Amino acid sequence: MDVMVIKEGTIVTPYSMYQADVKVVDGVITAIAKDIEPEGTVIDAKGKLVLPGAVDVHTHLELPFNGTTSADDYYDGTVAAAFGGTTTVFNYLNQIKGESLHDRYLRDKQSAEKKACIDYAFHFGITNWNETTKQEMKEAVNDGVTSFKVYTTYREDNMMMDEAGLCEILAYGKEENLLICVHAENNPLLEYRRKKYAEEGHTSPWYHYLSRDEMVEAQADKTIVYFAEKMNAPVYIVHLANAEGYEEVKKAKEKGIPVLAETCPQYLEFTSDVYKREDAEKFVCSPPMKGEESRLALREGVKHGVIDVMATDHCPFTLEQKALGKDDFRKIPNGCMGVENRYPYMLSMAVNGELSYSDVVRMCCYHPAKYFGCETKGSIEPGKDADLVIFNPEGEITVTADNMHTKAEYTIWEGVTTSGQIEKTIARGKIITDGGTFLGHAGDGRYLKRKKSSIFKEGLK
Ligand code: URP
Ligand code: ZN
């Protein structure tokens, strides 16, 4: 029997905080109580917070995209996640023409089984919608995949779903209780602008922002919310990044429309000003960071519970890969890193009094696990996996490429200082990071078969 006891920490739940000891047997939490007898591995957590390991429901590890492949594989990405207190990642697997969803799943599972250091689940990106896909989506549930993403953009990458397809998928998701996630940007408008700017000789990353500005995202958000309302079909908007779309989501929630919203820390920290920097290509992602009004709106959404989930959209590319677009912003691979930064960034907001620790746990752990049907993760409760973080609210850390673990070898978070420090990350009862030391192993991560989202049973709360 493998036993761990964590003594005298302050446990953070999605709605409260209290002091107690935690006992773990064979990777599962078995007791939370005062004065548990020390046994096995004993961790003194006096003065520290004991938090759930975070769940990142939006990563792109080993993603073939924009003519290349994202730089972090299942090993690099999960090592980085572990150092950032994340103990579960949900990776997006995009459908590939000529390959069944089941085969796509088997291919990534084989890779992740060898390399992942923490537990993982998959969503499918649906890029080719027809009767067969419908059947395959139903069968995906047997493989434990119960959520599906559609892109309203990336036509040139053969990833886009048109509005007819989107509506059919929303209807199908509702019928089968499958959560449909949407990447929302107006493709005709952004394609028109990309072409126009390029023809005019405007090739710098600033034009990446201008071609996909506030209006491009807001229009698509409004369409999605409208479809969700009229069809009464649940929808999860990924990486919301603009003020007008945020207002739309807020109003929709007030009216009881079944819309869930995710954002990512880069949209709380940076504005479109990054696209004027010398190293602007590092920040090229879609949707791009917007103006200050959007940054502030999203921060408000995080504070007032309008944003349900904080994810990362972790999709790093090396500088060499980014340089594919040195003469044309349209060729810069889209994506940024963040899996190591999200939980520390959000916990820093709690240390600084902008959020409560429970707010952070809800957005980074509890909601992601609950909304995506992952019952063993997301909170500290007897019977759940012992995925835990020991967090010291004292001190601070300044991010540099040297102390990060992405294979991209730079970080958009360079120079950002966060308050507090993750001292240990524990995955199913094993310490996998201790300060700067990695103690995990490739292949230790397990595949998580998920149930259907709780929102179909319980509604949005
Ligand atoms: O720029 C991004 N976000 N790249 C990853 C693919 C996506 O859009 O989610
Ligand atoms: Zn996306």
Side-chain angles (χ1 to χ4, degrees), residues 54-61 74 78 86-94 104-105 108-109 112-113 116-125 140 143-148 368-369 371-377 387 428 445-451:
V55 178
D56 187 348
V57 290
H58 193 156
T59 66
H60 296 286
L61 308 177
Y74 283 98
T78 58
T86 289
T87 46
T88 304
V89 290
F90 283 45
N91 207 39
Y92 275 102
L93 313 187
N94 288 339
R104 180 81 185 85
Y105 150 84
D108 265 58
K109 189 149 170 280
E113 263 167 6
C117 310
I118 58 170
D119 293 351
Y120 55 93
F122 300 134
H123 320 267
F124 285 123
D143 290 330
V145 183
T146 57
S147 48
F148 300 83
Y371 293 144
F372 287 96
C374 201
E375 291 177 347
T376 55
K377 306 289 183 187
D387 290 353
R428 277 189 282 101
R446 282 191 201 153
Y447 176 64
L448 298 167
K449 263 189 156 193
R450 292 183 290 123
K451 301 228 158 87

Side-chain angles (χ1 to χ4, degrees), residues 58 60 63 65-66 92 149 151 154 159 183 238-239 267 284-287 313 315 317 333-336:
H58 193 156
H60 296 286
L63 174 75
F65 184 49
N66 286 166
Y92 275 102
K149 176 157 76 165
Y151 299 86
Y154 300 137
M159 285 161 64
H183 172 137
V238 298
H239 46 47
Y267 302 115
V284 167
C285 61
S286 293
D313 195 13
C315 188
F317 293 98
N334 285 204
C336 296

Side-chain angles (χ1 to χ4, degrees), residues 3 119-120 168 193 208 229 291 303 315 324-325 397 414 429 456:
V3 180
D119 293 351
Y120 55 93
E168 273 196 59
R193 289 179 174 175
H208 171 73
E229 176 178 17
K303 281 184 197 157
C315 188
L324 292 169
I397 290 180
E414 185 76 38
F456 293 99

Side-chain angles (χ1 to χ4, degrees), residues 184 214-229 237 240 242-249 251:
E214 280 78 348
M215 174 180 165
V216 165
E217 192 189 333
Q219 193 283 331
D221 290 332
K222 287 181 183 202
T223 301
I224 304 308
V225 170
Y226 184 79
F227 289 157
E229 176 178 17
I237 300 180
L240 185 69
N242 75 98
E244 217 182 321
Y246 163 73
E247 289 300 332
E248 192 70 12
V249 166
K251 273 193 279 162

